[in-house]
Amino acid sequence: MSQLMIADRVPREELMTSGHVACPGCAAPIAMRMVLKALGPKTIVVMPASCWSIIAGPWPQSSLKVPLYHAAFETGAATASGVRAALDMQGDTETTVLVWAGDGGTFDIGLQALSGAAERNENILYCCYDNEAYMNTGIQRSSATPWGAATSTTPAVQPQSTHKKDILAILAAHRIPYAATATVAHPVDLLEKVTKARAIRGTRFLHILAPCPPGWKFEDDETIELARMAVRAGVFPLVEVEHGEHWRFTAEGAREPVGPYLRKQGRFRHLGEEQVRQIQAEVDRRWNAMRRRVESSESDEDGSLAEGG
Amino acid sequence: MGPSGSEYRRVPPIAVSSSSTLVNHTGSWKYIRPLFQDRVAPCNAGCPVGIDIEGYMNLLREGRVAEARDLLLRENPMPGVTGRVCHHPCEVSCNRESFDRAVAVHAVERMLGDLAMPEVPLPAPPARNQRVAIVGSGPAGLACAYHLAGLGYRVTVFEAATQPGGMLRLAIPEYRLPEAVLDREIERIRARGVEIICCVNVGDDLPWWSVRANYDAVFLAPGAHRDRALEVEGEQSRGVEPGLKFLEDVKRGNRPNLGRQVIVVGGGNTAIDCARTAVRMGADCLVLYRRTRAEMPAIPDEVEEAEREGVKFEFLAAPVAFESKRGRLKAVECVRMRLGPPDASGRRRPIPVDSDHFTLPADTVLTAVGEVTDLAAVPQDLERQDSALRVGAWGETSGVRVFAGGDVTDETRSVAHALGAGKRAAIGIDRYLRQAAGEPVEPDGLARLRYGGSGNVSITRWRGDDPIQRASPTNDVVRFEDLNPSHFQRAARRDDRRLHSETARSGFTEVNLGLTRDGALEEARRCFNCAVCNGCELCLIFCPDVAIARGTDGNRFDIALDYCKGCGVCAAECPRGGITMTRAGL
Ligand SMILES: Cc1cc2nc3c(=O)[nH]c(=O)nc-3n(C[C@H](O)[C@H](O)[C@H](O)COP(=O)(O)OP(=O)(O)OC[C@H]3O[C@@H](n4cnc5c(N)ncnc54)[C@H](O)[C@@H]3O)c2cc1C
Ligand SMILES: Cc1ncc(C[n+]2csc(CCOP(=O)(O)OP(=O)(O)O)c2C)c(N)n1
Ligand code: SF4
Ligand code: SF4
Ligand code: SF4
Ligand SMILES: [Mg+2]
């Protein structure tokens, strides 16, 4: 796709303002800005505690031009369910209720509320911007932190010893109508997914990789490049899944080795070659598992076609 | 607008925002800032003519074809010619070569050159009353005339031959450069007000003193038209002919009898033109070259075409004697060569292997080992440098009011270099005449005029009427490392359409047909638009701080420095190196 087409496909309306207090080069506001462009002004944001609670500005400020409800850390999905119910009572089916939560608020403390909402198929769009740790409180590890990463609670001498939780599979297992991954480096893919999600009723889940310069320890201007490299290395495949069973890659290209991606980040600086190989093996394992999901979805579709014919 | 009094009672106590974060001037955090900055693309810097290639490619991408042509015509009076016969060093420097394959700049240029003439003439300043004489109507002379006319001067070109064009007219074969194309280009040059008088050999038909006395300045561009001698025994025999004379003869419409077997001696464009012309006249042709293919000065594409048309090559071989029987050439005795250490030209020096001689049968030998200047025919008071006229940076000779350029000087022998030299001298002459008229001129502005600081010059910069608005322009060249190739997709380069070699070798119709208009426009879209903002808006899209907005006051973009935190994401993501992070102005 040519550049011009990207600009043409990004809605012009700005629903986020300058003057927010994210760190320089932070991906989290880029993600918010793009998602709101796709959703438009008829959106209510529910935001559990996170960096974004700060980015949104101290009272009486807001960096969003849409209503924003700050919620307790563990209550994103539950609060959104309530907001949705209130809107429905008013007959407003048009407004999107958007949960905007970090990985801590999604993978860990908010998971039970999210699972409950997904199980009830609440009519909400849940976006997790994933910077792979509790950044706002000083880079503590979460269950989204990748194996081998140094954080303030898993320092380089004893780095993260568990692999990142497969949150998309967990949500897919709830058989919600739509779940997908996206990154800030792929604006058209992101916009398409949000636009698609907006039109669907029920629980929709978007997992957006959002690199964090101070937390991952890279240069401020490398944010987009890091997200791009994560996709190219297969660390963060761009996929979508409908009703928990129709898996599809939305971008697939030649896979690159994971080493250069890791080497760009200070949080992996302590890793030796052997550990990089281990990470590569895990990335490959996950990639192959994803490919099998996609392929079996494809053959299911072929199968049903054959039956229909 | 907060809730009204009665509403407050219904809503539980809750803090409600009443202002935006715009009150925070987070721009105060930064220690570097982005600056939109147009630089110079390497194709442009590598072109000996000096052409805003990145600029016209960008206009083409926007579908502004006529404007693209006019931008090209500002700098290059003969794009139809260079699009066909230039060795296109622009493509060697093209950044896209580091990605997949270079943009076919020559084909795009050719398409633009073949378009109809501009309906509106290029802008001309008020006429100036000084007169300039130009001797020689090759590319150097015509370029100088064209640019001087564009600066308002009254220009007369004197040409010894019956038609203008220099080597383009006299020697370069029709199947590479149809005369109709050349005629069109010269028509466009005339339309700028240039007077061309043919059949006047200055120094013969018109004395040098009268030219020097009657004009305010003179530009000498007589080229280099004498075949270099082989200095081989038997060279004067019948059947051993100078290649340039042969080509000129054929271009005049003659078809000299060559016999069956023709051997061409040499490895430059003249040699290849001789060989391909001989093939078209039914001969079997062998090119004898004393080095290897890699060292051949001929344009590589031409060598390949020659091969396709059946021309054979014998590398590492040189003639040492010609054998005749009863006044007719029979054979060429050759010596095998090997390559020694590099010589002054940087190419490896050929050394004869004395023990290894062999003989090749030949009915005709065409010698094409280079053309030399005829300095006896130019005023004797002008300083020389070996076999060339010595000129300074602006083309000035040692003679007052006399300038020179092209093949008669120590310049690379190419059409593009000649066009560049003519342009440089036009600026030199303008500068000189303005100075003479008491107008202020920059003491040494040449560096500023050179695109990317390399050899060529920009007359647009000299005239100061660039139609393209440039953001904080600098003269740095954007290299591949300065681009962000993640935003580009691979795309196959379009190859020129060509006549089938069987058809090609049977006549003199043009072999290389270039690209269709649509093909050329598609090819132009492969251009990265290095160094010029093409409004892709990726900087705006990726800015985490919403600090870049579509511009006002004619700027493409405005940066809200009150909010830009200086993260540099815009500069890193700009595909074409259009943003510089700088401390300047903070
Ligand atoms: C066979 C051949 C093939 C070539 N192929 C290529 C190619 O493919 N690509 C490329 O880039 N370059 C090519 N070249 C080189 C290129 O043609 C020359 O470098 C270029 O033409 C030089 O331009 P010029 O204006 O200096 O001189 P010329 O083109 O030689 O023009 C000089 C003109 O001055 C006239 N003249 C000379 N003395 C007088 C006088 N006293 N009074 C009036 N008129 C005079 C001559 O008649 C001639 O018309 C080729 C050259 C030859 C010979
Ligand atoms: C119940 C509760 N525990 C702890 C906190 C402190 N707290 C605020 S934000 C945050 C980290 C959030 O991490 P994540 O959800 O990943 O978002 P990020 O800050 O990384 O964007 C924590 C621990 C809190 N607000 N509430
Ligand atoms: S800590 Fe990381 S996620 Fe939080 S605002 Fe800064 S860059 Fe963004
Ligand atoms: S990509 Fe375009 S602007 Fe860049 S060097 Fe090549 S032709 Fe020139
Ligand atoms: S990213 Fe695109 S719009 Fe921005 S400066 Fe570069 S070329 Fe221009
Ligand atoms: Mg986090």
Side-chain angles (χ1 to χ4, degrees):
Chain A
M1 172 169 326
S2 80
Q3 319 291 315
L4 199 71
M5 283 171 73
I6 293 188
D8 287 345
R9 294 175 69 167
V10 177
R12 306 236 144 167
E13 192 171 10
E14 298 293 355
L15 293 169
M16 188 184 90
T17 58
S18 305
H20 63 67
V21 292
C23 302
C26 176
I30 306 177
M32 173 69 93
R33 182 180 176 207
M34 289 185 192
V35 167
L36 285 184
K37 275 173 179 280
L39 291 178
K42 285 211 161 274
T43 303
I44 292 180
V45 182
V46 173
M47 189 178 283
S50 58
C51 270
W52 241 105
S53 320
I54 307 304
I55 299 171
W59 184 83
Q61 303 169 6
S62 171
S63 59
L64 299 187
K65 295 183 191 167
V66 298
L68 154 59
Y69 191 92
H70 287 281
F73 200 10
E74 56 276 55
T75 68
T79 307
S81 305
V83 172
R84 176 79 266 162
L87 287 172
D88 288 348
M89 283 173 71
Q90 293 175 14
D92 178 350
T93 51
E94 203 188 330
T95 300
T96 305
V97 179
L98 169 70
V99 184
W100 190 261
D103 48 293
T106 303
F107 287 58
D108 296 343
I109 194 168
L111 186 61
Q112 132 342 93
L114 172 57
S115 175
E119 190 259 339
R120 299 188 303 273
N121 198 21
E122 293 284 353
N123 186 23
I124 58 173
L125 170 57
Y126 191 109
C127 280
C128 168
Y129 72 95
D130 180 4
N131 49 25
E132 302 195 320
Y134 292 76
M135 294 307 180
N136 184 43
T137 41
I139 324 178
Q140 293 84 12
R141 58 80 68 187
S142 75
S143 58
T145 305
W147 184 90
T151 67
S152 51
T153 46
T154 56
V157 288
Q158 209 171 358
Q160 174 85 336
S161 58
T162 53
H163 287 290
K164 187 180 179 94
K165 198 184 265 184
D166 188 350
I167 194 75
L168 201 67
I170 294 173
L171 269 296
H174 289 73
R175 301 177 65 85
I176 56 173
Y178 188 74
T181 58
T183 90
V184 288
H186 304 82
V188 173
D189 180 73
L190 173 58
L191 289 168
E192 278 174 356
K193 284 168 174 168
V194 177
T195 307
K196 187 167 179 178
R198 186 180 187 278
I200 295 172
R201 284 183 66 84
T203 306
R204 296 139 286 162
F205 179 78
L206 212 58
H207 179 198
I208 306 175
L209 186 68
C212 159
W216 297 13
K217 312 224 175 326
F218 60 81
E219 295 297 329
D220 295 351
D221 64 355
E222 293 175 326
T223 298
I224 304 296
E225 177 67 4
L226 260 294
R228 192 157 46 222
M229 288 176 93
V231 171
R232 285 188 183 160
V235 172
F236 197 84
L238 290 176
V239 295
E240 60 183 15
V241 48
E242 284 169 55
H243 302 292
E245 43 193 27
H246 301 295
W247 293 80
R248 201 169 73 79
F249 283 113
T250 58
E252 205 180 358
R255 283 216 19 225
E256 287 169 14
V258 76
Y261 170 67
L262 301 177
R263 293 291 175 224
K264 258 198 178 304
Q265 304 173 52
R267 63 176 174 158
F268 295 115
R269 187 168 297 133
H270 53 281
L271 297 183
E273 285 308 312
E274 178 47 35
Q275 287 147 317
V276 170
R277 267 194 294 278
Q278 270 174 268
I279 293 178
Q280 183 70 63
E282 175 63 10
V283 167
D284 290 346
R285 192 190 65 72
R286 286 180 179 228
W287 177 269
N288 290 331
M290 184 62 82
R291 216 185 44 213
R292 279 194 300 276
R293 283 175 192 155
V294 170
E295 281 167 3
S296 77
S297 309
E298 283 164 359
S299 61
D300 281 359
E301 277 156 35
D302 291 349
S304 58
L305 262 178
E307 277 164 38
Chain B
M1 255 210 319
S4 69
S6 61
E7 278 168 322
Y8 267 129
R9 263 173 264 122
R10 287 172 29 223
V11 178
I14 187 173
V16 176
S17 309
S18 55
S19 74
S20 88
T21 50
L22 286 174
V23 295
N24 308 323
H25 285 183
T26 46
S28 64
W29 303 2
K30 71 173 150 312
Y31 57 92
I32 44 173
R33 58 156 293 185
L35 182 71
F36 288 102
Q37 193 152 54
D38 283 4
R39 295 194 265 169
V40 177
C43 51
N44 180 345
C47 166
V49 184
I51 300 172
D52 184 4
I53 299 169
E54 63 273 34
Y56 78 64
M57 289 284 185
N58 201 14
L59 290 170
L60 287 179
R61 194 187 48 76
E62 293 174 8
R64 295 156 68 184
V65 179
E67 284 166 86
R69 173 202 53 203
D70 294 353
L71 194 67
L72 168 60
L73 283 177
R74 277 172 172 267
E75 301 289 348
N76 181 2
M78 297 190 151
V81 168
T82 47
R84 286 172 172 81
V85 303
C86 180
H87 55 305
H88 43 74
C90 52
E91 295 180 21
V92 177
S93 357
C94 172
N95 274 333
R96 185 134 198 158
E97 185 65 24
S98 307
F99 184 73
D100 44 20
R101 284 184 65 206
V103 175
V105 177
H106 75 280
V108 179
E109 178 179 56
R110 170 179 172 159
M111 182 277 284
L112 290 175
D114 287 354
L115 291 175
M117 291 206 240
E119 306 75 47
V120 188
L122 297 178
R128 301 177 67 87
N129 58 16
Q130 288 115 316
R131 304 199 312 154
V132 183
I134 293 188
V135 181
S137 67
L142 288 180
C144 188
Y146 173 85
H147 292 300
L148 282 173
L151 289 166
Y153 292 96
R154 293 158 60 196
V155 187
T156 305
V157 180
F158 295 105
E159 169 57 53
T162 54
Q163 282 177 290
M167 286 296 190
L168 310 175
R169 175 78 65 188
L170 302 170
I172 298 187
E174 172 79 13
Y175 63 83
R176 284 216 286 140
L177 179 62
E179 289 208 46
V181 173
L182 182 60
D183 288 341
R184 244 187 354 246
E185 307 264 79
I186 292 175
E187 204 36 58
R188 198 165 44 210
I189 292 168
R190 280 204 167 104
R192 236 191 181 187
V194 172
E195 180 188 28
I196 304 177
I197 304 177
C198 290
C199 305
V200 176
N201 191 341
V202 179
D204 234 344
D205 306 321
L206 187 67
W208 283 111
W209 66 259
S210 88
V211 174
R212 288 171 82 170
N214 289 327
Y215 290 85
D216 297 287
V218 183
F219 179 63
L220 292 185
H225 284 243
R226 285 184 23 215
D227 275 284
R228 187 191 302 279
L230 277 181
E231 285 158 23
V232 164
E233 184 192 326
E235 192 172 350
Q236 306 311 323
S237 340
R238 228 180 91 203
V240 182
E241 309 293 340
L244 183 59
K245 289 286 158 300
F246 163 71
L247 290 175
E248 291 181 0
D249 205 19
V250 173
K251 276 216 96 170
R252 277 194 297 266
N254 300 327
R255 295 290 180 265
N257 183 16
L258 297 172
R260 175 114 217 102
Q261 180 64 52
V262 172
I263 290 186
V264 175
V265 183
N269 286 321
T270 308
I272 302 300
D273 285 347
C274 284
R276 295 177 69 192
T277 301
V279 162
R280 281 164 173 74
M281 292 167 60
D284 290 336
C285 190
L286 176 80
V287 173
L288 209 60
Y289 181 51
R290 59 192 183 137
R291 298 188 228 226
T292 70
R293 189 179 191 127
E295 287 85 23
M296 284 181 93
I299 299 172
D301 278 355
E302 298 298 321
V303 180
E304 279 168 35
E305 297 255 21
E307 247 176 350
R308 274 199 290 273
E309 291 169 6
V311 173
K312 301 278 180 293
F313 290 85
E314 184 70 48
F315 294 108
L316 292 169
V320 288
F322 299 105
E323 295 168 17
S324 298
K325 230 183 229 163
R326 284 188 293 277
R328 287 194 63 86
L329 182 70
K330 281 291 161 211
V332 184
E333 188 189 337
C334 307
V335 63
R336 186 56 68 198
M337 310 292 271
R338 64 182 175 82
L339 291 184
D343 64 10
S345 75
R347 295 176 304 171
R348 294 177 64 191
R349 183 195 303 278
I351 303 172
V353 184
D354 286 330
S355 56
D356 193 349
H357 280 238
F358 57 98
T359 304
L360 298 169
D363 299 313
T364 301
V365 166
L366 298 171
T367 63
V369 293
E371 291 81 31
V372 286
T373 53
D374 182 8
L375 291 189
V378 296
Q380 296 306 305
D381 60 311
L382 305 178
E383 256 178 53
R384 285 113 217 274
Q385 185 175 36
D386 303 323
S387 59
L389 275 185
R390 199 176 63 74
V391 288
W394 303 99
E396 71 278 20
T397 67
S398 61
V400 187
R401 295 186 292 139
V402 181
F403 293 74
D407 282 2
V408 76
T409 64
D410 182 20
E411 168 92 70
T412 305
R413 301 268 170 93
S414 87
V415 174
H417 283 89
L419 292 169
K423 193 201 294 186
R424 209 158 48 236
I427 297 171
I429 290 169
D430 186 33
R431 206 172 155 272
Y432 164 76
L433 291 176
R434 283 175 191 278
Q435 218 160 16
E439 292 175 42
V441 293
E442 272 180 75
D444 181 24
L446 198 56
R448 182 183 67 81
L449 303 184
R450 288 192 194 279
Y451 280 127
S454 60
N456 61 39
V457 289
S458 159
I459 192 123
T460 300
R461 286 189 186 175
W462 172 250
R463 295 163 58 116
D465 62 352
D466 195 343
I468 296 196
Q469 192 181 358
R470 295 178 205 269
S472 321
T474 76
N475 210 9
D476 307 337
V477 177
V478 171
R479 300 293 169 198
F480 188 68
E481 306 78 70
D482 303 321
L483 308 180
N484 187 336
S486 303
H487 300 295
F488 303 128
Q489 281 80 36
R490 277 168 205 289
R493 171 182 162 113
R494 280 161 192 75
D495 287 323
D496 291 341
R497 299 165 304 152
R498 288 166 201 273
L499 284 191
H500 190 278
S501 41
E502 275 310 310
T503 322
R505 55 175 291 168
S506 65
F508 284 82
T509 43
E510 188 172 23
V511 176
N512 184 326
L513 303 172
L515 296 176
T516 60
R517 179 189 157 105
D518 286 349
L521 290 174
E522 284 290 316
E523 185 63 18
R525 293 186 79 90
R526 289 183 69 237
C527 173
F528 291 160
N529 306 129
C530 302
V532 288
C533 173
N534 72 0
C536 73
E537 296 196 355
L538 289 183
C539 52
L540 181 155
I541 290 167
F542 286 124
C543 174
D545 289 287
V546 205
I548 302 179
R550 270 164 222 97
T552 49
D553 296 342
N555 294 332
R556 221 186 248 271
F557 296 105
D558 293 333
I559 301 177
L561 288 176
D562 279 348
Y563 301 110
C564 162
K565 295 170 187 159
C567 68
V569 165
C570 54
E573 290 310 312
C574 175
R576 49 207 113 256
I579 303 178
T580 309
M581 296 303 293
T582 172
R583 295 190 58 103
L586 287 182

